[in-house]
Every structure is written in C-alpha cells, then in structure tokens.
C-alpha cells in the first residue's frame, strides 16, 4: 500500500508547482496546505518529493524577491522561504547552500548599496549646498554695493503764525497761573466774537479787522515780550511804576479784553442798526401801499 504515495506525491507536486506562484491570502493558504501534504507524503515514503519541491520553492523565493532575498519583504516571499527551509529540513539539505550564498550576496549588496546611497546622499548634499552658496553669492554680487537709505534733507522751516498764536502761547509753562487764565479767557472771547462778526457779513469788516489785531498781534506780542524777560526776575524786578513784568502783562491782557468787549458792543449796535435800516426800508417801500389797499 505504500507504493501509492509516489503517484499521489507526483500529483501533489504538480499542484504545488502551480499554486506556489499564486499571490494573495488565498494563494498563501493553499500553498501552505499543499506544502504540508508534501511533507506528510515524504514522511510516508515519498522522500524524493522534497527535492523538486525545494527547487520550485527556491525559484519562487528569488522570483518574489526580484533576485534578492532581502530586497523585498512580502507575505508570498516569506511563505516560499519558509517552505524551502522545511523541505531542506525534511531531506533536501542541499537547498541551504544556495540560500546561504544568496543571503551573503544580499548582505554584501545591502552594505554596498548603503554605501553608494550614503555617498550619493552626501554628493547631493554637497551639490545642493554648492547651488545654495552660488545663489547667495549671486545675490550678494547683485546687491553690491549695499543700498544705503539716506534720509531726506529737511530744511529749517520758518515759524508759522499758528506756532505763535494766542492759543499756543496761553499754554506756555512759564506763564504765571493768573496770566495764563487771562490769556485763555481772552482767546476764547476772541473766537466767540469773531464767529458773531462773521454772521454780520461785510458790514462788520472794520470790526473784524480790529478784533484780528487784538487776537493775532497785540495779545501775542504782549505774551512774547513777557517771555523774553529773564525767568528769575520776570515776576520780581520792578520795571515801571512799581510794576513787575507779570503785572504789566496782566494789565495788557485786561485792556485787550476790554477792547474785545467794545468790539462786541459795537457789533451789537451794528446788528441793531442793520435790522432798523431794513425795517425802515420795508416800511417806506411797502407801508404806504398796504395802507392804500386797506382803504
């Protein structure tokens, strides 16, 4: 009855020769089952079957690994490698020699490839570094000499009227508190009166001129004259009629404030004259006609 294992082994070997190349989980499962059957048949008496089976498995190993057993790691490659080792253990010991040679070649090739890869990587780094250095050098050459930002020259500007206005001078830190209070009040008084005069139109041109003289000329000159005095003696040294510089400044500011009041009073009279003149004109022109219509 043992003779039947040989034809069965031949049939199973033929099946293995076709299944060993199948990839995927189903191919791995079927190949492992057939490998197990071949090993059982070898134990039962068909020992010869492990040699062709080992040769087929060894060829599949190189095929799946692309000529290098350790170049690729796949389930099919590991499966045929394990089958080859099992066939070697069950009698086809010769298969370990090509496996050992292939392993040595693979290890030597891996080291050499690593060296070449490292050398190529270093060469690429050097090449990239050279290109980067050349790019930086070109950038430096193209921008040499370095561009210097020269600030525009500023010519000294003459002091404007706004810089010496009563609004500014009234805030001067050297002004005594009572003088600063008078100057600020005068400044506000001038602005309010000017707004009122602007409403009166051309008829208030003379009054507007007088007010502008007080605001932009007389008051400004009075404060500037005080600030020209020495700071240490401006409020203590007698200058005229027993009065200090501060006393004279306050007196001037009070007189100017009275001048603005006078302009306001005359502007009010001008307004009254204007409405009275308008009333007389309308009454003279249309009053007689209205009386005639009533009659």
């Amino acid at each position: 009855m043992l003779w039947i294992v040989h034809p069965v082994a031949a049939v199973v070997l033929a099946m293995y020769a076709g299944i060993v190349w199948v990839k995927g989980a189903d191919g791995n499962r079927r190949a492992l089952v057939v490998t197990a059957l071949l090993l059982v048949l070898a134990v039962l008496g068909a020992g010869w079957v492990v040699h062709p089976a080992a040769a087929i498995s060894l060829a599949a190993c190189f095929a799946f690994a692309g000529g290098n057993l350790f170049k690729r790691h796949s389930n099919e490659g590991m499966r045929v490698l394990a089958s080859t080792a099992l066939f070697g253990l069950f009698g086809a010991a010769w298969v370990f020699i090509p496996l050992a040679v292939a392993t040595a070649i693979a290890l030597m090739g891996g080291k050499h490839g690593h060296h070449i890869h490292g050398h190529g990587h270093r060469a690429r780094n050097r090449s990239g570094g050279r290109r980067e250095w050349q790019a930086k050098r070109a950038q430096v050459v193209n921008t040499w000499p370095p561009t210097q930002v020269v600030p525009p020259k500023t010519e000294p500007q003459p002091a404007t009227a706004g810089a010496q206005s009563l609004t500014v001078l009234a805030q001067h830190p050297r002004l005594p508190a009572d003088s600063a209070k008078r100057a600020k009040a005068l400044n506000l008084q001038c602005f309010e009166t000017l707004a009122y005069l602007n409403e009166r139109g051309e008829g208030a041109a003379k009054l507007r001129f007088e007010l502008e003289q007080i605001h932009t000329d007389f008051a400004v000159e009075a404060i500037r004259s005080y600030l020209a005095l020495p700071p240490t003696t401006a409020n203590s040294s007698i200058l005229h009629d027993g009065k200090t510089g501060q006393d004279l400044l306050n007196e001037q500011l009070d007189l100017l404030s009275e001048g603005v009041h006078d302009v306001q009073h005359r502007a009010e009279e001008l307004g009254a004259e204007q409405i009275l003149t308008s009333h007389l004109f309308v009454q003279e022109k249309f009053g007689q006609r209205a009386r005639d219509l009533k009659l």
Side-chain angles (χ1 to χ4, degrees):
M1 186 175 180
L2 292 179
W3 62 269
I4 198 172
V5 298
H6 298 284
V8 174
V11 174
V12 175
L13 179 62
M15 293 175 56
Y16 182 72
I19 294 175
V20 72
W21 308 102
V22 179
K23 296 181 179 180
D26 183 62
N28 291 336
R29 181 174 59 256
R30 293 167 58 189
L32 290 176
V33 171
V34 175
T35 298
L37 290 176
L38 289 175
L39 295 177
V40 170
L41 292 171
V43 172
L44 292 178
W48 58 269
V49 77
V50 296
H51 297 282
I56 295 172
S57 297
L58 185 62
C61 283
F62 285 100
F64 287 135
N68 189 334
L69 293 178
F70 299 94
K71 183 178 180 180
R72 299 175 185 174
H73 300 283
S74 61
N75 293 333
E76 292 81 9
M78 297 301 296
R79 178 248 300 172
V80 292
L81 183 62
S83 299
T84 304
L86 289 174
F87 292 136
L89 291 176
F90 277 77
W94 58 268
V95 80
F96 290 114
I97 297 175
L99 285 178
V101 173
T103 301
I105 294 174
L107 293 176
M108 292 177 62
K111 292 180 180 180
H112 180 67
H114 178 73
H115 175 72
I116 294 176
H117 175 73
H119 178 73
H121 182 69
R122 288 192 297 269
R124 286 193 296 272
N125 286 342
R126 286 196 297 269
S127 178
R130 187 180 300 109
R131 286 194 297 270
E132 182 178 358
W133 177 83
Q134 290 176 349
K136 291 183 177 179
R137 179 178 179 272
Q139 182 179 4
V140 171
V141 170
N142 292 333
T143 58
W144 185 264
T147 303
Q148 297 180 355
V149 180
V150 180
K153 294 182 178 180
T154 56
E155 298 294 337
Q157 299 295 329
T160 61
Q164 297 295 325
S165 67
L166 181 58
T167 304
V168 175
L169 292 174
Q171 308 290 335
H172 200 284
R174 276 193 56 202
L175 281 184
D178 55 344
S179 300
K181 183 177 180 180
R182 284 177 167 85
K184 294 175 182 177
L186 177 61
N187 188 48
L188 179 60
Q189 188 181 9
C190 289
F191 278 120
E192 292 176 347
T193 306
L194 181 61
Y196 180 75
L197 292 177
N198 289 334
E199 295 176 356
R200 303 281 71 81
E202 295 297 330
K206 183 178 178 180
L207 296 177
R208 190 181 299 109
F209 174 74
E210 293 181 12
L211 179 66
E212 290 176 351
Q213 277 191 314
I214 295 173
H215 190 209
T216 63
D217 189 5
F218 302 146
V220 170
E221 184 61 28
I223 297 177
R224 291 179 63 184
S225 298
Y226 170 81
L227 296 175
L229 296 174
T232 55
T233 60
N235 302 332
S236 59
S237 296
I238 301 300
L239 300 180
H240 179 70
D241 291 340
K243 298 176 182 178
T244 63
Q246 178 183 354
D247 297 332
L248 295 175
L249 174 61
N250 290 342
E251 185 176 335
Q252 292 181 78
L253 293 175
D254 291 340
L255 290 173
L256 293 173
S257 179
E258 292 178 4
V260 175
H261 278 296
D262 180 64
V263 172
Q264 290 176 342
H265 179 68
R266 285 186 288 162
E268 292 172 357
E269 291 180 349
L270 178 62
E273 291 178 359
Q274 288 176 342
I275 192 171
L276 181 58
T277 301
S278 175
H279 174 72
L280 293 176
F281 171 78
V282 172
Q283 187 179 33
E284 182 181 355
K285 188 173 183 63
F286 299 101
Q288 183 64 34
R289 186 178 302 175
R291 287 192 295 268
D292 294 341
L293 290 174
K294 289 180 180 179
L295 295 174

